[in-house]
């Protein structure tokens, strides 16, 4: 192990998801409930006490007391990344919370998209908590995995949960049956279009991983599944809805509490380990600061380049983004004039690329799936028809 290397432990993932207490921890004080509970696993026989340990992502409402069975452990504590949470204790209902936190305008937008989703599709909401069949859970987790990959491929990124997906696939059903986890699913005609896995401890609801079919992006499924989970929290007496780390606009919109995760650099008392732990702490604080302020550093680099008369030709802002294909209104269209008009089924893989344009059209027209028909004129030209209003729309691919 290198001079400044540490043994790392993500407290949030290990504690809430795996139910794993690091043996270095002797006791945890829960400020939310004003109570302490001991670690049932305090056996340090297999723990290398010559190493320095980094226990990170500890929510501030948990205070750690370290195991003293093999001699005194000491620690340096510092704040880490921001966390985002909905404290529901001061709200009587979901409607009350949304009115206070989102405000009239944003609340109206979210509820409007919810109504539009339910108008356009045959929507069903289901929460798996306490009971789920193994084969159903396996099928949902496979669909969930595919959703995450599809969404993050679109963003040119990889979701960190995929690195430990085997754990989620193998353990979720058992965790649901023991009331330690729940799955939220939004279905359209019995097909999952949004899935979220969440972990539960006392009155804390940990919103862990969520994703949705990107073809439905227009309907704001991300906000709708947050709304439905918050509704469940109110119905089931959960006071804290924790959306964890990751600073995104939708979290700031929903959350009334922004906190900082704590990190502990833990070591067995000695001069050499003290010095190593001190340097590790300062190094990690510097790294955290750099990550949190990366936009400022980018701005400084950009300003410096401009002052030197240089331009950044590779900037994303200078790259023209491709426009999404969309249907446009078509006047005076006569089906009888097109003998080669071929009906297409967007449910099949061959015409899957038409789903998002069709769903976007449904959103704008507030039209039901059964009222929409789609036809192919040629490989680059497609026509959609609202059979209820008899209106036509054309899609021309480049």
């Amino acid at each position: 192990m290198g001079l400044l290397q540490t043994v790392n432990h993500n407290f949030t993932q290990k504690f809430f998801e795996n139910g794993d207490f690091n043996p270095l921890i002797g006791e945890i004080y829960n400020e939310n409930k004003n109570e302490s509970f001991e670690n049932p696993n305090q056996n340090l026989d297999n723990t290398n006490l010559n190493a320095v340990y980094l226990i990170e992502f500890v929510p501030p409402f948990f205070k750690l007391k370290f195991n003293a069975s093999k001699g005194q452990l000491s620690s340096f504590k510092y704040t880490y990344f921001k966390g985002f949470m909905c404290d529901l204790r001061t709200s009587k209902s979901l409607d009350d919370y949304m009115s206070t936190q989102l405000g009239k305008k944003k609340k109206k937008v979210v509820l409007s998209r919810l109504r539009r989703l339910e108008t356009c599709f045959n929507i069903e909401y289901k929460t798996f908590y306490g009971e789920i069949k193994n084969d159903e859970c396996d099928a949902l987790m496979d669909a969930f995995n595919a959703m995450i990959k599809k969404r993050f491929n679109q963003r040119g990124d990889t979701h960190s949960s995929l690195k430990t997906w085997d754990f989620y696939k193998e353990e979720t059903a058992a965790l649901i049956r023991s009331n330690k986890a729940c799955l939220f699913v939004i279905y359209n005609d019995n097909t999952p279009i949004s899935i979220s896995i969440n972990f539960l401890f006392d009155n804390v609801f940990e919103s862990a991983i969520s994703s949705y079919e990107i073809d439905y992006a227009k309907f704001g499924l991300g906000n709708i599944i947050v709304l439905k989970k918050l509704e469940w929290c109110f119905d089931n007496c959960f006071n804290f809805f924790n959306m964890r780390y990751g600073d995104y606009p939708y979290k700031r919109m929903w959350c009334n509490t922004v906190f900082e995760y704590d990190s502990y650099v833990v070591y067995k008392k000695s001069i050499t380990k003290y010095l190593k732990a001190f340097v590790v702490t300062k190094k990690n604080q510097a790294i955290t600061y750099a990550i949190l302020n990366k936009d400022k550093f980018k701005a400084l680099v950009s300003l410096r380049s401009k002052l030197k008369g240089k331009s950044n030709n590779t900037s994303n802002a200078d790259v023209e983004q491709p426009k999404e294909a969309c249907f446009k209104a078509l006047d005076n269209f006569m089906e009888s004039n097109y003998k080669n008009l071929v009906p297409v089924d967007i449910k099949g893989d061959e015409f899957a690329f038409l789903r998002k344009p069709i769903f976007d059209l449904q959103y704008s027209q507030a039209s039901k799936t059964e009222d929409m028909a789609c036809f192919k004129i040629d490989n680059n030209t497609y026509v959609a028809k609202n059979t209820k209003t008899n209106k036509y729309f054309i899609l021309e691919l480049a």
Side-chain angles (χ1 to χ4, degrees), residues 202-260:
D202 283 343
N203 58 355
V204 179
F205 183 105
E206 286 278 316
S207 179
I209 312 167
S210 299
S211 195
Y212 58 85
E213 283 290 350
I214 57 177
D215 295 331
Y216 296 81
K218 193 80 170 178
F219 294 85
L221 286 181
N223 284 322
I224 290 173
I225 204 162
V226 170
L227 180 154
K228 288 297 177 180
K229 291 192 292 186
L230 282 172
E231 183 178 58
W232 191 87
C233 285
F234 277 105
D235 290 343
N236 292 273
C237 302
F238 281 83
N239 292 334
F240 303 96
F241 179 84
N242 190 9
M243 299 183 79
R244 295 188 169 183
Y245 32 85
D247 193 343
Y248 299 104
Y250 80 97
K251 291 187 181 183
R252 289 191 174 270
M253 182 181 85
W254 283 101
C255 296
N256 59 3
T257 303
V258 179
F259 62 89
E260 291 180 315

Side-chain angles (χ1 to χ4, degrees), residues 81-358:
F81 294 108
K82 285 182 170 59
F84 298 85
M85 185 168 65
C86 303
D87 185 342
L88 309 178
R89 291 175 295 180
T90 58
S91 300
K92 298 177 182 178
S93 64
L94 173 61
D95 185 71
D96 181 28
Y97 182 83
M98 290 179 67
S99 296
T100 303
Q101 178 60 27
L102 272 63
K104 186 177 180 179
K105 186 176 180 180
K106 289 180 180 177
K107 177 184 174 183
K108 183 179 179 181
V109 170
V110 172
L111 294 179
S112 174
R113 289 186 172 181
L114 171 64
R115 288 191 296 270
R116 188 60 57 91
L117 178 73
E118 294 173 348
T119 296
C120 295
F121 304 106
N122 182 23
I123 295 297
E124 180 187 4
Y125 307 99
K126 194 166 184 179
T127 304
F128 294 91
Y129 175 63
E131 185 61 43
I132 192 170
K133 295 178 180 177
N134 286 336
D135 56 350
E136 186 169 20
C137 188
D138 286 344
L140 285 170
M141 295 305 291
D142 288 341
F144 197 8
N145 182 285
M147 274 183 209
I148 293 171
K149 287 179 178 177
K150 184 177 177 182
R151 187 180 173 206
F152 277 78
N153 284 343
Q154 183 194 43
R155 291 166 49 172
D157 201 356
T158 302
H159 197 286
S160 59
S161 66
L162 297 178
K163 297 176 183 177
T164 54
W165 195 258
D166 287 346
F167 163 78
Y168 297 115
K169 177 75 180 287
E170 294 166 8
E171 300 298 330
T172 294
L175 290 169
I176 288 172
R177 286 194 282 267
S178 61
N179 293 342
K180 294 178 181 178
C182 62
L183 271 180
F184 278 75
V185 187
I186 301 177
Y187 294 90
N188 173 24
D189 278 332
N190 300 316
T191 299
I193 62 172
S194 184
I195 303 176
S196 174
I197 186 170
N198 316 276
F199 298 93
L200 313 169
F201 176 79
D202 283 343
N203 58 355
V204 179
F205 183 105
E206 286 278 316
S207 179
I209 312 167
S210 299
S211 195
Y212 58 85
E213 283 290 350
I214 57 177
D215 295 331
Y216 296 81
K218 193 80 170 178
F219 294 85
L221 286 181
N223 284 322
I224 290 173
I225 204 162
V226 170
L227 180 154
K228 288 297 177 180
K229 291 192 292 186
L230 282 172
E231 183 178 58
W232 191 87
C233 285
F234 277 105
D235 290 343
N236 292 273
C237 302
F238 281 83
N239 292 334
F240 303 96
F241 179 84
N242 190 9
M243 299 183 79
R244 295 188 169 183
Y245 32 85
D247 193 343
Y248 299 104
Y250 80 97
K251 291 187 181 183
R252 289 191 174 270
M253 182 181 85
W254 283 101
C255 296
N256 59 3
T257 303
V258 179
F259 62 89
E260 291 180 315
Y261 280 96
D262 292 325
S263 284
Y264 295 82
V265 179
V266 186
Y267 61 97
K268 189 173 181 180
K269 274 193 171 180
S270 76
I271 293 297
T272 55
K273 294 185 185 66
Y274 167 86
L275 292 173
K276 179 178 178 180
F278 177 80
V279 174
V280 166
T281 301
K282 294 304 176 184
K283 180 195 76 171
N284 288 349
Q285 285 178 310
I287 291 172
T288 302
Y289 179 84
I291 293 173
L292 293 176
N293 292 275
K294 61 183 179 181
D295 290 338
K296 293 180 182 179
F297 292 131
K298 285 180 181 178
L300 286 173
V301 170
S302 177
L303 178 61
R304 184 180 177 187
S305 296
K306 289 179 180 177
L307 290 174
K308 288 185 175 183
K310 297 179 181 180
S311 62
N312 183 5
N313 293 323
T314 60
S315 170
N316 288 334
D318 297 331
V319 179
E320 185 177 350
Q321 299 298 320
K323 293 182 179 179
E324 286 190 345
C326 63
F327 282 93
K328 297 178 182 178
L330 184 60
D331 297 325
N332 303 319
F333 183 80
M334 299 290 291
E335 285 187 43
S336 57
N337 293 337
Y338 291 84
K339 295 180 181 179
N340 58 340
L341 212 57
V342 180
V344 299
D345 181 6
I346 65 171
K347 292 181 181 179
D349 291 340
E350 183 181 0
F351 297 104
F353 65 92
L354 290 174
R355 287 175 197 159
K356 189 175 187 306
I358 287 287

